């Protein structure tokens, strides 16, 4: 974006030099005493104005030298001071007010020297003195205004950054509060249920009795609830992924799921937001498969493209009817919101051949 702005600035500078040049050359053309040397001096002084942004002091020196030489040689009217006035203004705007004042004084001295003591020259010199003072003052005023605008912009950016930091801090505090509430309200109760179920199973086995399946299910569900609660509390406290998709697959295998992981493409470090989204998508998809797919084989695929990462989790379970897909729960809704926030797409639906499929496509931007 800087390129077009720079180009437009250079075109504006060139246009200013052309306009000033046309004015002073046209005025000089009406003076019958104007020579080729005078035109050359005017052309050099006006052309220098096109570079006032890059080198204001050099432009001030060139325009002052050529302007003073021109008035000493041709004795023109006040309009001949335009190039020097422009250079004085831009030099003062750049902070070189002392040089700007000195250049104006040099030009005025040369102008007075054309016809010293005559009333017309004194009047014109007084007029030009006012012009030069205005050029210096407006240059300084413009410089102060630009500084004020920069300070205002910096304060606005700082205020925005402060608001973002405050929002993040409040979000972190709220996550910690929720984590404490969950820990205090649920952990103790689930632990008691799991402990009592374990004691009942132990006593039944000790007496040689058959353990009721419902009791075993309670014991297993209590253990799974504790693991999920701990994982949830860890997420609330850190808001960061606690591993990699490969680690999630290993955990799922340790829990008894048949899971395969396939990674294709040019694997490379991912942006933090994308890495976090991949972890959450695989985590939620494996959790849903464990809950709803029944005995099934799960395939996790990560395809690293040049501009897109595809995350696919398929299972061949039999508990999902393609004709009547289950309503989206909180997990799928959160997954879709996370993918959409990154500018990606998510497809989660039953497979025609049975089972369920989750496919997320996450943009990676331009390849590095």
């Amino acid at each position: 974006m800087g390129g077009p702005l720079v180009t437009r600035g250079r075109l504006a500078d060139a246009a200013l030099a052309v306009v000033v040049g046309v004015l002073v050359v046209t005025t000089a053309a009406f003076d019958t005493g104007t020579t080729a040397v005078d035109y050359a001096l005017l052309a050099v002084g006006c052309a220098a104005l096109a570079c006032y942004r890059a080198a204001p002091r050099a432009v001030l020196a060139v325009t002052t030298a050529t302007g003073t030489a021109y008035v000493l040689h041709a004795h023109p009217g006040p309009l001949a001071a335009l190039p020097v006035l422009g250079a004085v203004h831009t030099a003062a705007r750049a902070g070189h007010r002392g040089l700007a004042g000195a250049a104006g004084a040099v030009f005025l001295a040369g102008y007075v020297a054309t016809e010293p003591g005559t009333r017309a020259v004194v009047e014109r010199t007084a007029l030009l003195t006012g012009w030069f003072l205005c050029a210096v003052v407006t240059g300084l005023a413009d410089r102060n205004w630009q500084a004020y605008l920069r300070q205002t912009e910096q304060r606005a950016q700082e205020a925005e950054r402060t608001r973002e930091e405050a929002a993040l801090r409040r979000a972190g505090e709220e996550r910690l509060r929720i984590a404490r509430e969950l820990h205090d309200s649920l952990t103790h109760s689930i632990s008691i249920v799991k402990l009592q179920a374990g004691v009942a199973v132990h006593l039944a086995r000790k007496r040689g009795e058959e353990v009721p399946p419902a009791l075993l299910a309670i014991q297993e569900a209590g253990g799974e609830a504790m693991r999920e609660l701990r994982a949830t509390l860890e997420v609330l406290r850190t808001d960061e992924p606690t591993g990699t998709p490969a680690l999630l697959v290993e955990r799922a295998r340790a829990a008894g799921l048949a899971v395969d992981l396939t990674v294709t493409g040019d694997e490379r470090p991912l942006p933090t937001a994308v890495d976090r989204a991949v972890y959450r998508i695989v985590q939620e998809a494996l959790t849903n498969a464990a809950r709803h797919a029944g005995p099934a084989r799960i395939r996790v695929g990560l395809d690293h493209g040049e501009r897109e990462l595809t995350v696919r989790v398929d299972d061949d379970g039999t508990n999902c009817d393609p004709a009547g897909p289950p309503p989206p729960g909180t997990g799928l809704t959160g997954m879709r919101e996370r993918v959409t926030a990154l500018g990606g797409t998510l497809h989660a639906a039953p497979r025609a051949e049975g089972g369920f499929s989750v496919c997320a496509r996450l943009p990676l931007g331009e390849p590095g």
Side-chain angles (χ1 to χ4, degrees), residues 246-266:
L247 181 59
L248 289 173
V249 170
E250 290 299 324
R251 290 176 181 172
R253 288 172 181 168
L257 297 178
V259 186
D260 294 326
L261 173 63
T262 303
V263 180
T264 58
D266 184 15

Side-chain angles (χ1 to χ4, degrees), residues 45-290:
C46 294
L49 292 176
C51 303
Y52 77 88
R53 294 179 192 266
R57 289 180 294 184
V59 170
L60 181 65
V62 171
T63 55
T64 302
T66 57
T68 304
Y70 171 60
V71 296
L72 288 174
H73 185 263
H75 301 184
L79 202 60
L82 277 180
V84 186
L85 281 169
V88 165
H89 171 80
T90 55
R93 183 172 179 266
H96 310 300
R97 56 185 178 184
L99 292 176
V106 169
F107 181 85
L108 290 174
Y111 199 87
V112 171
T114 57
E115 296 179 18
T118 63
R119 178 172 179 174
V121 170
V122 172
E123 291 177 350
R124 291 176 181 176
T125 303
L127 176 64
L128 287 178
T129 301
W131 287 6
F132 276 106
L133 287 175
C134 288
V136 173
V137 170
T138 55
L140 293 176
D142 191 15
R143 175 181 173 83
N144 293 334
W145 175 249
Q146 294 299 326
Y148 170 75
L149 290 180
R150 286 193 297 270
Q151 291 176 359
T152 303
E153 183 178 0
Q154 290 174 357
R155 284 196 295 269
Q157 292 175 351
E158 182 65 25
E160 181 67 22
R161 185 163 52 250
T162 302
R163 282 194 296 269
E164 292 177 357
E165 292 174 353
L168 290 175
R169 186 174 60 255
R170 286 194 297 268
E173 293 171 353
E174 182 65 15
R175 286 197 308 272
L176 290 177
R177 187 190 67 81
I178 294 173
R180 287 193 299 268
E181 292 292 335
L182 287 175
H183 181 273
D184 295 341
S185 61
L186 295 181
T187 303
H188 178 71
S189 299
I190 295 175
S191 298
I192 293 298
V193 171
K194 182 174 180 294
L195 177 61
Q196 291 178 344
V199 170
V201 169
H202 174 72
L203 291 177
R205 288 172 177 170
K206 186 176 181 180
R207 290 193 296 263
E209 299 174 357
E210 182 179 357
V211 180
L215 196 56
L216 293 174
I218 292 173
Q219 184 183 32
E220 182 180 355
E224 179 65 22
M226 285 296 295
R227 286 191 293 271
E228 291 190 7
L229 181 58
R230 281 195 293 267
T232 301
L233 293 177
E234 187 175 1
V235 170
L236 287 172
R237 289 192 175 102
T238 63
D239 195 36
E240 293 290 339
T242 55
T244 63
L247 181 59
L248 289 173
V249 170
E250 290 299 324
R251 290 176 181 172
R253 288 172 181 168
L257 297 178
V259 186
D260 294 326
L261 173 63
T262 303
V263 180
T264 58
D266 184 15
E267 189 174 1
R268 60 186 185 274
L270 300 175
T272 302
V274 176
D275 189 45
R276 185 182 307 171
V278 171
Y279 183 88
R280 299 303 185 209
I281 291 168
V282 174
Q283 183 184 48
E284 182 63 31
L286 290 176
T287 301
N288 287 342

Side-chain angles (χ1 to χ4, degrees), residues 21-61:
V22 168
L23 287 175
V24 295
V25 169
T26 301
T27 302
F30 286 100
D31 189 349
T32 55
T34 305
T35 65
V37 173
D38 298 326
Y39 284 118
L41 291 172
L42 290 175
V44 171
C46 294
L49 292 176
C51 303
Y52 77 88
R53 294 179 192 266
R57 289 180 294 184
V59 170
L60 181 65

